[in-house]
Amino acid sequence: MYAILTPDSELRKVIETGTQAASNLCWACGTCDNECPINLASNRLSPRKIVRMASMGLLDELLSIPEIWYCLTCQRCLDVCPNGVKPAEVIRFIREESLRRQIVKWETLQDYEKLFGRFQRVRWHATVRCIQGELDAVTDDQWYAWLDTPVELPGTKITPKASADRTVYFRQMADSNITLCLTCSECTNCCPVFHERSVFDPQATIRMVNLGLTEELLHSPSIWLCIDCGRCSKACTQTVKARELIGRLRQMAIDGGYVSPRLPYQLKKAEKLLYPRLLDEIDACFGFSSGRILLSDIA
Ligand code: SF4
Ligand code: SF4
Ligand code: SF4
């Protein structure tokens, strides 16, 4: 189904004022689409098309498309745009407008946020499967069991080993600055995949390395949940680089034989199974009907 859409320059100005982003600078290069993790895994979210709609002033249409709620807020699209256009800011603005105009109710927003938290459990359980071998399919039973099964924190008391070799190594690495961490949790607060500490928490990861608990991290599925967006490293006032630290931990896990070198590839494959299901759950959460305008309808 294709819809006839009428550009509106006044509404374009409303969006530009609300986002402080000049969507008309977009030259439709598609770099944002190629970096968007949701788009790569599902082909169902195009930040480029959202910017295109914003530049046409299609505010009402933007308020009615489910894609606005598919975004992880990772800001990769914003970081990679060569023209300084901010697709993630357009999405933020449209979400806020949806709430302000009561198109979306607070209760729905709460359900949506809970869904994202439960989805990180799914990613954790799927990562365990990938570490153990391939994950070729996710059945309905598995999906709902993983959504509803919290990840348990290890019950045993962990003894700090602050002089462990790997901690000394990380302390000497100028590119992660872990010793400067004040445990303020700014990294955790801005991390788009942090929802439950037992699943994944960048600040806890830094703390564990500082306490010499690298070995525990190398065994943990959690370090594979980071989506490498870099928001934590940008947000840290102490210049601690959680993203770079997690990248090194992953490489150590591969080099040390804790996981297969094929794991990153297996996880990418798993994302293509998991994200489309998440988007279906989001559609159900907001009650989007099949008669809606899709981004694919916008030229
Ligand atoms: S990266 Fe920037 S210029 Fe390229 S399509 Fe996306 S918003 Fe437009
Ligand atoms: S913020 Fe991330 S998930 Fe959202 S549109 Fe941009 S790249 Fe995609
Ligand atoms: S790079 Fe940082 S903010 Fe982004 S997912 Fe990883 S830990 Fe979270």
Side-chain angles (χ1 to χ4, degrees), residues 187 190-193 200 202 225-233 242-243 246:
C187 50
C190 72
C191 175
V193 295
F200 174 63
L225 296 196
C226 165
I227 58 168
D228 198 30
C229 68
R231 286 191 64 182
C232 50
S233 300
R243 173 204 202 175
I246 292 166

Side-chain angles (χ1 to χ4, degrees), residues 166-173 176 178 209 245 248 252:
R166 289 196 181 103
T167 293
V168 174
Y169 163 80
F170 278 115
R171 284 187 175 154
Q172 288 170 349
M173 290 303 299
S176 59
I178 57 165
V209 175
L245 172 68
R248 281 182 183 277
M252 266 184 187

